[in-house]
Amino acid sequence: MAHLIRHKLSNKITNAMNTASNKSQAKVSGAFARLGFQAATDEEGLGFAECDDLDYDYRQGMRMDVLQTEDGGEEMTGDGLEGDSHYQRDGTLHRASIKSGGGCEVVEDKPKITAWEAGWNVTNAIQGMFVLGLPYAILHGGYLGLFLIIFAAVVCCYTGKILIACLYEENEDGELVRVRDTYVDIANACCAPRFPTLGGHVVNVAQIIELVMTCILYVVVSGNLMANSFPGLPMSQKAWAVLATVALLPCAFLKDLKSVSKFSLLCTLAHFVINIVVIAYCLSRAHDWAWEKVKFYIDVKKFPISIGIIVFSYTSQIFLPSLEGNMQKPSEFHCMMDWTHIAACVLKGLFALVAYLTWADDTKEVITDNLPGGIRAVVNIFLVSKALLSYPLPFFAAVEVFEKSFFQGGGIFPDCYGPGRKLKSWGLGLRIVLVVFTLLMAIFVPHFALLMGLTGSLTGAGLCFLLPSLFHLKLQWRKLLWHHVFFDVAIFIVGGICSVSGFIHSIEGLIEAFQLNIQD
């Protein structure tokens, strides 16, 4: 009798445990289904449940650590603090545990930037010196070119926001938690589970091409502008490019975005001076403005290249995950994106229209070439200053991509940082090699406008239009409203058409330039 009673109690306890386990797995699977994932298998559900348990234990441990700090004045950090940070990031403080020589651990705070500093970085990226080529887009597109400047600002602002939205997911309490850190993490999440690293490889290649090409273009235009400003000096464009690269070598010593923000502020000031000089000269000739020249027509062969130039002038998506993760208040990110892109849209549109009205059919690829000799030299000096001050941001982002892909977190090569996040000598040497590489490419690739259009059509459209809309649909499909789906699909289709068209015409232009031996 006693044996029968024990057997029945055992069966009831087992059934209760199985029921609770099934409910837990169903709850987790349902949560992930609402986020756009397929239904999880038993093994996947068990894995998610284990992650939630570890997350709960970790949070309880952190609370105990805080209580111990208040009572005993000491703080204890677990070995898994850095590895588990993706479950607990609230975006306000990034803390890393570093073991000192005595065996104890010291908690180090990574420098954060304000919304204004992040805005300066974005403004520097989208208000770059490539704005000087926008009047050329009006020349070949008329009012359609002006519309494209506005359209690109709206789309890039929207895709920047949805890209950051893909970094977050809701936990069981309905709170948004930052579970991804980079563009690569988003791509990998979209390709999982079949190809867990394919998306990351694609994004890494696109990011590296975009960032390195941006650095190359800054060196190319610096040498070109200085050679045209001082034609009497016995220095060629290549010599000026070498001199500019020497000035850029300190970029290899950059440690964080705090220093880059200072460069961005100076760069914005230089851009302001350039715009004032050009617009002032255009206003002085307002009585000669040719309004009748602005029409609703496009040059079918040259306007697609202009599309790439316009898109390239708005590219900032590759910087956004890093900027948002380094902000003191990530909640201010959307507001920062709004005012930076509104300002860019207004300034670019007015600048392009006023400059085109001044020179009409004589508008050149770089609008400063239309200025008189004395004014042109002054403006070009500011342009070179802006190019040199703009270089650190894409360079720093490229370095981050290389380091995270190959030199950190179990990459192919050993960690390039020592204790206290101190850069090792060979890591510094690799950064210097990257600076020199941009110089060599700038010397052997002289076609500035065509390369800018090619880069904007290929990686620019891909990173700013195609991938963000695709990732947003994949990761948050079940949460999207119908107009969000419509916007994402429309952006993907329009972006694809512009990308293919601009790429084909840019390649044709490069082939023609090399055949005729045309030099910029």
Side-chain angles (χ1 to χ4, degrees), residues 26-62:
K27 183 178 182 181
V28 173
S29 300
F32 276 82
R34 288 193 299 272
L35 292 174
F37 291 93
Q38 296 178 351
T41 61
D42 293 340
E43 292 79 4
E44 291 170 340
L46 182 59
F48 291 140
E50 290 175 351
C51 288
D52 291 338
D53 291 340
L54 291 174
D55 184 27
Y56 176 80
D57 294 338
Y58 174 72
R59 281 183 286 181
Q60 296 299 321
M62 290 298 293

Side-chain angles (χ1 to χ4, degrees), residues 127-133 218 221 225 271 383-384 386-387 390 448:
Q127 294 270 41
M129 61 189 306
F130 308 111
V131 68
L132 299 176
Y218 283 137
V221 77
L225 291 174
H271 178 78
L383 278 174
V384 172
K386 179 173 175 57
S390 300
F448 176 77

Side-chain angles (χ1 to χ4, degrees), residues 391-436:
Y391 187 95
L393 182 59
F395 177 82
F396 182 80
V399 166
E400 276 197 329
V401 174
F402 277 117
E403 290 178 350
K404 289 183 179 180
S405 300
F406 302 105
F407 301 100
Q408 292 181 11
I412 301 177
F413 303 101
D415 198 338
C416 57
Y417 288 95
R421 296 293 296 171
K422 184 178 181 181
L423 186 64
K424 296 180 181 178
S425 57
W426 62 269
L428 178 60
L430 291 177
R431 291 188 175 194
I432 295 176
V433 168
L434 182 59
V435 176
V436 175

Side-chain angles (χ1 to χ4, degrees), residues 3 10 75 96 117 160 191 243 308 319 327 352-353 360 388 392-393 463:
H3 177 73
S10 177
E75 182 174 353
E117 290 172 332
C191 294
L243 188 61
F319 311 133
M327 289 179 63
L353 181 60
L388 298 180
L393 182 59
L463 293 171

Side-chain angles (χ1 to χ4, degrees), residues 86-409:
H86 60 283
Y87 284 104
Q88 298 300 317
R89 291 189 60 175
D90 58 1
T92 57
L93 180 65
H94 180 66
R95 313 186 74 178
S97 296
I98 301 175
K99 291 187 178 181
S100 61
C104 61
E105 293 187 355
V106 179
V107 177
E108 180 186 50
D109 295 343
K110 187 176 179 180
K112 294 288 184 177
I113 60 177
T114 65
W116 283 102
E117 290 172 332
W120 286 124
N121 280 306
V122 174
T123 300
N124 182 31
I126 64 178
Q127 294 270 41
M129 61 189 306
F130 308 111
V131 68
L132 299 176
L134 295 182
Y136 189 72
I138 305 297
L139 171 65
H140 296 296
Y143 284 111
L144 292 179
L146 188 63
F147 169 77
L148 185 60
I149 293 175
I150 302 173
F151 175 78
V154 174
V155 172
C156 288
C157 181
Y158 172 77
T159 56
K161 293 178 181 179
I162 64 175
L163 182 67
I164 296 303
C166 292
L167 297 174
Y168 291 85
E169 290 182 7
E170 290 184 357
N171 59 15
E172 290 185 351
D173 299 327
E175 300 175 348
L176 288 178
V177 180
R178 200 175 200 263
V179 297
R180 305 177 186 96
D181 291 323
T182 64
Y183 210 141
V184 172
D185 294 339
I186 298 174
N188 285 335
C190 289
C191 294
R194 290 187 176 181
F195 307 101
T197 61
L198 176 61
H201 293 323
V202 173
V203 171
N204 269 336
V205 171
Q207 284 188 105
I208 291 173
I209 293 175
E210 176 90 5
L211 294 168
V212 175
M213 185 59 66
T214 302
C215 295
I216 293 171
L217 289 172
Y218 283 137
V219 178
V220 170
V221 77
S222 297
N224 189 300
L225 291 174
M226 292 302 293
N228 292 333
S229 299
F230 304 100
L233 295 179
M235 293 184 65
S236 64
Q237 178 178 338
K238 295 180 180 180
W240 282 113
V242 172
L243 188 61
T245 305
V246 172
L248 293 171
L249 284 176
C251 293
F253 297 89
L254 289 174
K255 294 182 179 180
D256 52 59
L257 284 173
K258 196 77 173 179
S259 301
V260 177
S261 298
K262 298 177 182 178
F263 288 117
S264 298
L265 176 59
L266 296 175
C267 189
T268 303
L269 295 176
H271 178 78
F272 178 77
V273 172
I274 294 168
N275 284 349
I276 289 296
V277 172
V278 175
I279 292 177
Y281 179 83
C282 293
L283 291 177
S284 67
R285 297 183 53 188
H287 58 281
D288 295 327
W289 282 358
W291 286 96
E292 70 279 1
K293 294 290 185 179
V294 187
K295 301 178 180 179
F296 288 96
Y297 75 95
I298 61 172
D299 186 328
V300 178
K301 192 168 185 179
K302 294 184 178 180
F303 184 66
I305 301 176
S306 300
I307 294 176
I309 295 174
I310 293 173
V311 172
F312 188 78
S313 70
Y314 278 107
T315 53
S316 65
Q317 272 71 2
I318 50 181
F319 311 133
L320 297 183
S322 178
L323 283 175
E324 194 266 352
N326 282 277
M327 289 179 63
Q328 294 175 359
K329 297 180 179 179
S331 59
E332 299 177 350
F333 176 81
H334 278 209
C335 180
M336 181 271 295
M337 288 290 290
D338 289 336
W339 65 260
T340 52
H341 283 75
I342 290 174
C345 175
V346 172
L347 293 177
K348 286 182 177 182
L350 291 177
F351 181 87
L353 181 60
V354 169
Y356 174 73
L357 290 174
T358 302
W359 288 285
D361 293 338
D362 295 327
T363 301
K364 297 182 180 180
E365 291 186 12
V366 179
I367 200 61
T368 55
D369 290 339
N370 289 103
L371 293 171
I375 301 178
R376 182 170 65 246
V378 174
V379 171
N380 283 349
I381 290 176
F382 277 100
L383 278 174
V384 172
S385 300
K386 179 173 175 57
L388 298 180
L389 292 172
S390 300
Y391 187 95
L393 182 59
F395 177 82
F396 182 80
V399 166
E400 276 197 329
V401 174
F402 277 117
E403 290 178 350
K404 289 183 179 180
S405 300
F406 302 105
F407 301 100
Q408 292 181 11

